Amino acid sequence: MITKLVLLSISIFLVSRFIDGIRLKSPLTAVIVAVVYSIADLLLYWFLAIISMPLILITFGLFVFILNAFLLWLTDQLIEDFEIKDLKTTLIASFAITIINLVLGAIF
């Protein structure tokens, strides 16, 4: 669990450095964002996935990125030191965080 949080924190930090429109006040904020995002994911993801199952099936799973973007937007709303500029940036960041997290998870 701690390893997953560390990898997610690194992913969020890297994405904030490479994508304009994402602001983290400090590297510690990336850890806080990872914790809040993980809690939101734990509490809401499966409920949202079940409700949106028809859309997930129709889009061959691509709608999952929309669910992840929603959870990232929710995290943005909850944490004052984390800011995402707009919807487009949120979608791109969600995709990038997912890919980087998968790559880091495969490495470690």
Side-chain angles (χ1 to χ4, degrees):
M1 178 92 171
I2 292 175
T3 305
K4 288 183 181 182
L5 282 175
V6 169
L7 294 178
L8 184 59
S9 299
I10 292 169
S11 300
I12 292 168
F13 182 76
L14 289 174
V15 167
S16 73
R17 293 293 171 228
F18 291 116
I19 297 177
D20 291 333
I22 300 176
R23 185 187 63 80
L24 288 173
K25 188 173 182 181
S26 69
L28 178 62
T29 306
V31 176
I32 295 168
V33 169
V35 169
V36 171
Y37 181 83
S38 296
I39 291 170
D41 185 62
L42 180 69
L43 295 176
L44 296 174
Y45 182 79
W46 292 110
F47 175 72
L48 294 172
I50 290 170
I51 289 174
S52 61
M53 189 57 68
L55 289 172
I56 293 172
L57 293 174
I58 289 171
T59 62
F60 300 108
L62 293 177
F63 193 76
V64 170
F65 289 114
I66 304 297
L67 294 178
N68 289 337
F70 172 75
L71 292 175
L72 190 61
W73 172 82
L74 183 63
T75 304
D76 173 31
Q77 299 303 308
L78 294 173
I79 299 175
E80 189 172 315
D81 294 339
F82 176 59
E83 191 174 310
I84 301 177
K85 185 174 79 172
D86 56 9
L87 179 62
K88 177 183 169 188
T89 306
T90 305
L91 288 169
I92 293 170
S94 170
F95 182 74
I97 289 169
T98 302
I99 297 302
I100 292 171
N101 203 30
L102 283 173
V103 170
L104 289 175
I107 293 171
F108 296 103

